[in-house]
Amino acid sequence: RSYAEAGYNLVDGSFEVGGTLVNANDVLLQESSGKAFSGPVGPVSAGTNPTSAGFVDRGGELLRNELFATVSSVSAGGYGVGAKLTITDRDNARFNVVAGGIPNGIDILNAGTGKTATLVIVGNELKASWLGFKLSNPDNAPILQRAVDIARPLKYPVIMPPGNAPFKCSRVTVYKDTVLRGAGEYLTELKAPNSAAAGSDIIRSENADSLFGTSSEEGAHNLELSDFSLNGNRQRPGNSSGITTGTCLKYYGRTNKFKNLRIYHSADDGMRTEWGAGSGLAEGLEGRFNSITIGYSGGNGWRFGGPHDSHCDDIIIHTSGQKATNTYKNLFIEKGNARWSKVHSYSLFYTD
């Protein structure tokens, strides 16, 4: 079990860098040993030796030999095979040290010669932060892609954390039954990096580019996206190094649920959705689109080609068609029909 499960509160800092114990159940980590100690309430100076001055080792109360560590301390090789680790700089993700393995730096960490530390998923969801998804990364796409790939056979949702700035992220491929959630449309934002080879493409369903225009009944059915924003980083006045091609969200499939999404500054279309006729389908094919805002796209705000009979409610699309002067291209219904309600389409008469 963890220190929290044992009744202790792991505070920020360590004996190596210093910290503060406020309550009797607070414990401070010693990075070199992976153990946490309780002790006298008050500040703990950097470099303090916890084996003296009244500090008490609480590691024995975990009962499962569970240790606190960081990615760098794991790579130093100080943990033996069988060690159960809580990685504090990975949002307290659980990893187990095993013999062998090939580290990828994401869910399989280098644990020293002949050893790796592998991710243990706790509960029935996968947090992207457990794999290293964070604001400081130059591109989070490899990490988010790995999270989606791990969750795919498990049918677990992938959860992205909030951030006080956009998370840089180039293209990620999602699949049938993928569930991808953020912390809120104003709290989790994925922004295409200037260097992204795929341009403004950020979320693309499997094989979407080759399926568009085919009327195929294949596709990434049952995809669920909610509670985040996509920023295509379109080249524009004030952003001369931005991106000139790409669509933030590409989806080919049916029975999807897209909710609480904001899509801005896509170089081409903000969102493109499509599916085939479904004439022989023995179940519903409708997509569900709710509480979606799209703005400042270079091409169409939303290029809609299905799925047929979709339910589209509380939709705002504005100021799109920015690639051409005096062009208004918010909603393009290319084919198919849908049930539309509370749709607001407008232009701010402003080039952004």
Side-chain angles (χ1 to χ4, degrees):
R1 58 181 178 169
S2 67
Y3 282 101
E5 291 168 334
Y8 293 102
N9 174 45
L10 185 68
V11 301
D12 292 338
S14 67
F15 282 93
E16 285 82 353
V17 301
T20 301
L21 299 174
V22 177
N23 303 301
N25 67 330
D26 287 349
V27 291
L28 186 64
L29 176 68
Q30 184 185 36
E31 294 179 2
S32 60
S33 67
K35 298 179 180 180
F37 295 75
S38 63
V41 170
V44 179
S45 300
T48 297
N49 182 357
T51 60
S52 62
F55 293 97
V56 178
D57 177 7
R58 299 298 181 181
E61 299 179 33
L62 300 186
L63 302 180
R64 290 195 318 189
N65 191 32
E66 188 166 6
L67 305 171
F68 286 86
T70 62
V71 173
S72 61
S73 69
V74 172
S75 66
Y79 302 100
V81 172
K84 302 178 185 297
L85 308 177
T86 295
I87 309 297
T88 58
D89 53 355
R90 285 286 187 88
D91 198 13
N92 291 327
R94 305 288 183 84
F95 281 75
N96 289 345
V97 178
V98 299
I102 300 174
N104 59 19
I106 301 176
D107 60 301
I108 306 173
L109 305 179
N110 174 30
T113 303
K115 299 176 293 182
T116 54
T118 60
L119 177 69
V120 177
I121 300 175
V122 179
N124 57 2
E125 63 183 28
L126 177 57
K127 292 184 178 181
S129 56
W130 292 345
L131 281 71
F133 184 97
K134 57 185 177 181
L135 289 172
S136 60
N137 291 333
D139 188 357
N140 281 285
I143 295 167
L144 189 57
Q145 186 67 67
R146 181 62 178 159
V148 169
D149 292 346
I150 292 171
R152 184 182 185 185
L154 301 172
K155 296 190 181 299
Y156 284 177
V158 175
I159 311 299
M160 299 180 291
N164 58 10
F167 294 91
K168 295 183 180 66
C169 187
S170 58
R171 186 166 64 199
V172 173
T173 298
V174 292
Y175 310 100
K176 180 179 183 291
D177 299 324
T178 292
V179 178
L180 182 61
R181 299 176 187 151
E185 58 185 299
Y186 290 95
L187 297 177
T188 302
E189 178 180 329
L190 306 182
K191 182 178 181 180
N194 287 347
S195 59
S200 285
D201 288 12
I202 302 177
I203 302 294
R204 180 187 64 174
S205 66
E206 185 179 24
N207 299 322
D209 287 325
S210 61
L211 290 170
F212 284 141
T214 66
S215 296
S216 170
E217 296 191 4
E218 299 297 320
H221 311 318
N222 314 324
L223 174 66
E224 295 188 26
L225 305 175
S226 65
D227 300 297
F228 60 89
S229 294
L230 299 176
N231 183 338
N233 192 18
R234 177 177 57 85
Q235 186 182 83
R236 59 194 189 277
N239 188 33
S240 60
S241 61
I243 291 169
T244 58
T245 62
T247 293
C248 280
L249 174 52
K250 294 178 176 179
Y251 177 63
Y252 192 96
R254 58 170 170 82
T255 53
N256 61 291
K257 293 181 181 179
F258 295 176
K259 183 177 181 180
N260 298 337
L261 301 177
R262 295 174 72 246
I263 302 172
Y264 276 82
H265 297 305
S266 188
D268 293 320
D269 299 332
M271 176 167 70
R272 182 179 180 183
T273 64
E274 186 180 324
W275 195 59
S279 56
L281 197 64
E283 60 179 323
L285 54 85
E286 301 92 338
R288 289 174 171 84
F289 302 87
N290 180 259
S291 189
I292 296 175
T293 301
I294 304 172
Y296 300 117
S297 302
N300 302 289
W302 183 357
R303 182 175 175 178
F304 179 87
H308 185 74
D309 285 343
S310 287
H311 295 246
C312 308
D313 177 71
D314 188 15
I315 309 295
I316 299 172
I317 311 174
H318 71 84
T319 326
S320 291
Q322 292 281 310
K323 279 192 171 182
T325 304
N326 299 323
T327 302
Y328 183 82
K329 299 175 66 176
N330 285 340
L331 176 60
F332 173 33
I333 301 178
E334 186 174 22
K335 68 173 185 175
N337 62 24
R339 292 165 175 83
W340 301 89
S341 65
K342 293 182 288 185
V343 178
H344 190 193
S345 176
Y346 64 94
S347 177
L348 293 175
F349 301 102
Y350 171 66
T351 300
D352 184 27

